[in-house]
Amino acid sequence: MFDDRSPIYRQIAERIKGDILSGALAEGAQVMSTNQFAVAYRINPATAAKGLQSLVDEDILYKRRGVGMFVSADARERLRTRHRERFFTDVVDPMITEAETIGVPLDDVVDHIRQHEIGEPS
């Protein structure tokens, strides 16, 4: 599950976010506890706690004292909104800049995307 590219607690948080986005974790669903993460993935409980707490801080998860942590009611939509914003900033904007640099008209880029969208070969 883990790689060396980023801290384990961030990877835990990203995995849970991915599960929420994909629908594997529904709104209101309980997530594994800190100790369950620690045992399942053989990591320090403090590391798991840090990953879960980061999601609480982002209002993606909420705590129910003595019960556990759960997916917030609007977590999926908020995550989708953030990802959409990042998509434009990280993918679309650089693509437009590259197209301008190499002289590809924006209309050609849009036409190419539309062809792909309707399943026509590119």
Side-chain angles (χ1 to χ4, degrees), residues 16-27:
I16 292 170
K17 287 178 183 179
D19 287 347
I20 292 168
L21 282 168
S22 73
L25 273 175
E27 295 173 355

Side-chain angles (χ1 to χ4, degrees), residues 3-115:
D3 59 44
D4 292 334
R5 290 179 286 180
S6 64
I8 291 173
Y9 78 92
R10 283 192 187 148
Q11 292 179 59
I12 290 169
E14 290 304 314
R15 172 77 181 262
I16 292 170
K17 287 178 183 179
D19 287 347
I20 292 168
L21 282 168
S22 73
L25 273 175
E27 295 173 355
Q30 186 171 11
V31 298
M32 287 195 306
S33 71
T34 297
N35 290 332
Q36 288 170 323
F37 265 107
V39 169
Y41 297 108
R42 297 180 182 188
I43 59 172
N44 187 315
T47 300
K50 188 173 182 179
L52 293 172
Q53 184 59 49
S54 72
L55 296 174
V56 171
D57 294 344
E58 291 182 55
D59 295 324
I60 300 301
L61 300 180
Y62 67 93
K63 294 179 186 180
R64 287 180 49 198
R65 184 173 224 104
V67 180
M69 292 196 195
F70 298 82
V71 178
S72 297
D74 59 350
R76 186 173 189 206
E77 191 53 41
R78 282 189 289 115
L79 286 170
R80 291 179 97 179
T81 298
R82 290 180 199 167
H83 276 35
R84 282 185 201 113
E85 291 167 0
R86 246 189 337 238
F87 171 75
F88 284 103
T89 301
D90 296 350
V91 177
V92 177
D93 292 348
M95 178 184 62
I96 292 168
T97 300
E98 179 70 12
E100 289 172 347
T101 300
I102 62 174
V104 176
L106 189 56
D107 288 341
D108 289 357
V109 174
V110 172
D111 289 344
H112 186 80
I113 291 169
R114 284 197 173 114
Q115 286 175 356

